[in-house]
Amino acid sequence: MVKIIKLIKRTSYFVPFTIYLFVFCVIIIPGYTWLKNLSKLPDSAYNSIFSLLLSIALLFSLAVLCFGLITVMVSFIYFKVKQTKNEVRVLLNTRYHKEKGQNKQSVSININPILLPLMGFLRIRIVYDKDLYSHKFSPVPNKHKLFNTSFSGEFNWDLPEIREYQIEKVIIYFEDFFRFFSFASSVNASNRFHISPASQSLHNIKASPRKTEETTTRVEELKRVEGELINYKNFETNDDVRRIVWKIYAKNKELV
């Protein structure tokens, strides 16, 4: 059962549409149907105008979807053609640094050649340690150009475990401006790095000696506590010998 769940989860990483497209369709289709029924009401002078505006809104929504699909498809097909010719190169560089008091693993990525979607985005998912998948990252590009056949950027990867990591593949996602479509392609990119323990300066460590606790409650009534002068008496003839306190006899030579 666990293997089936993992397989379904891995397959969902390559689904060509996102949850945003599903939400968009859930809102548009019932809304269009409801407004279409309103335009059929009799004795209304605005039926023709309302139907025309409704058709324009529907055509505009379809145009937005087609524009996003075309821009993503062009970039994806271009990348797959270059990948079949073994011309795609993906370079990863890792760097461990400290940012705002937190330890961060910075990853720099360089992909060449690649064509970014028009007004779209490029996102990255890393496959590491054989069967582990990272979250989707949005690398910050180093260069901002409208048409560029290469991409270089970096992102921070939060890895809490202190150990060695081995990157095996990189999944590249081509997404449109509205993030309705997301076409994925995996590329081999081997890299190995390790997370070191966080170093702390000795000057920042403050050690204070333990302070004695101050009693704020005063006992007004004295209580009798068992000691040398309480529950003791001198030994008499009829007393049990086993009850003699031999420690006091060894100290004072007195039988009590």
Side-chain angles (χ1 to χ4, degrees):
M1 187 64 181
V2 177
K3 293 182 178 179
I4 297 176
I5 294 175
K6 288 184 178 180
L7 181 61
I8 295 174
K9 186 176 180 181
R10 294 174 185 173
T11 306
S12 64
Y13 293 153
F14 295 89
V15 175
F17 54 86
T18 63
I19 189 65
Y20 300 108
L21 179 62
F22 176 76
V23 175
F24 180 77
C25 294
V26 167
I27 296 175
I28 288 297
I29 295 176
Y32 176 79
T33 305
W34 178 65
L35 293 175
K36 191 68 175 177
N37 294 330
L38 289 179
S39 64
K40 296 179 181 179
L41 295 177
D43 300 332
S44 177
Y46 301 100
N47 284 343
S48 300
I49 299 176
F50 186 76
S51 299
L52 179 61
L53 294 176
L54 190 61
S55 300
I56 293 174
L58 180 62
L59 291 176
F60 178 77
S61 301
L62 293 177
V64 169
L65 293 177
C66 293
F67 175 77
L69 180 61
I70 291 173
T71 55
V72 172
M73 285 293 297
V74 169
S75 300
F76 180 73
I77 293 174
Y78 174 82
F79 183 80
K80 295 300 291 184
V81 170
K82 294 296 183 181
Q83 190 177 12
T84 53
K85 296 180 180 179
N86 295 325
E87 296 179 2
V88 177
R89 297 292 181 267
V90 177
L91 300 177
L92 291 176
N93 293 321
T94 57
R95 180 172 58 88
Y96 195 65
H97 68 284
K98 197 169 186 179
E99 179 181 343
K100 295 181 180 179
Q102 297 182 354
N103 296 316
K104 298 287 186 178
Q105 183 68 39
S106 177
V107 181
S108 300
I109 184 169
N110 184 275
I111 308 174
N112 188 16
I114 191 172
L115 185 63
L116 297 181
L118 184 62
M119 300 176 61
F121 303 95
L122 188 70
R123 306 185 74 184
I124 302 296
R125 189 190 298 273
I126 297 177
V127 182
Y128 64 100
D129 294 347
K130 294 183 180 180
D131 57 348
L132 297 179
Y133 290 76
S134 68
H135 299 288
K136 272 187 179 182
F137 299 108
S138 299
V140 179
N142 297 329
K143 297 180 181 179
H144 298 274
K145 292 183 178 180
L146 186 60
F147 296 100
N148 193 8
T149 57
S150 63
F151 177 84
S152 60
E154 61 180 23
F155 55 90
N156 290 327
W157 188 6
D158 294 331
L159 294 169
E161 297 183 9
I162 302 174
R163 62 181 180 89
E164 186 181 37
Y165 293 86
Q166 183 177 1
I167 299 176
E168 299 177 355
K169 292 183 180 180
V170 173
I171 304 177
I172 304 173
Y173 293 89
F174 300 87
E175 299 182 353
D176 60 305
F177 179 76
F178 298 97
R179 290 186 175 176
F180 289 155
F181 302 97
S182 178
F183 289 84
S185 179
S186 62
V187 182
N188 294 328
S190 60
N191 196 329
R192 188 187 298 268
F193 64 94
H194 67 279
I195 301 295
S196 303
S199 60
Q200 186 176 6
S201 177
L202 297 178
H203 298 287
N204 296 332
I205 300 177
K206 296 181 180 180
S208 58
R210 296 183 59 184
K211 298 181 179 179
T212 57
E213 297 180 357
E214 298 179 357
T215 56
T216 56
T217 304
R218 182 177 179 181
V219 180
E220 300 294 342
E221 181 181 357
L222 296 178
K223 296 182 180 180
R224 302 182 66 185
V225 182
E226 293 185 1
E228 294 183 355
L229 302 178
I230 299 176
N231 294 337
Y232 290 157
K233 72 180 186 67
N234 293 328
F235 180 75
E236 297 179 358
T237 306
N238 297 326
D239 292 336
D240 191 357
V241 179
R242 293 175 297 177
R243 301 187 63 184
I244 296 176
V245 183
W246 296 107
K247 291 183 180 180
I248 298 178
Y249 177 78
K251 182 178 180 180
N252 301 329
K253 302 300 182 180
E254 295 181 359
L255 293 175
V256 292

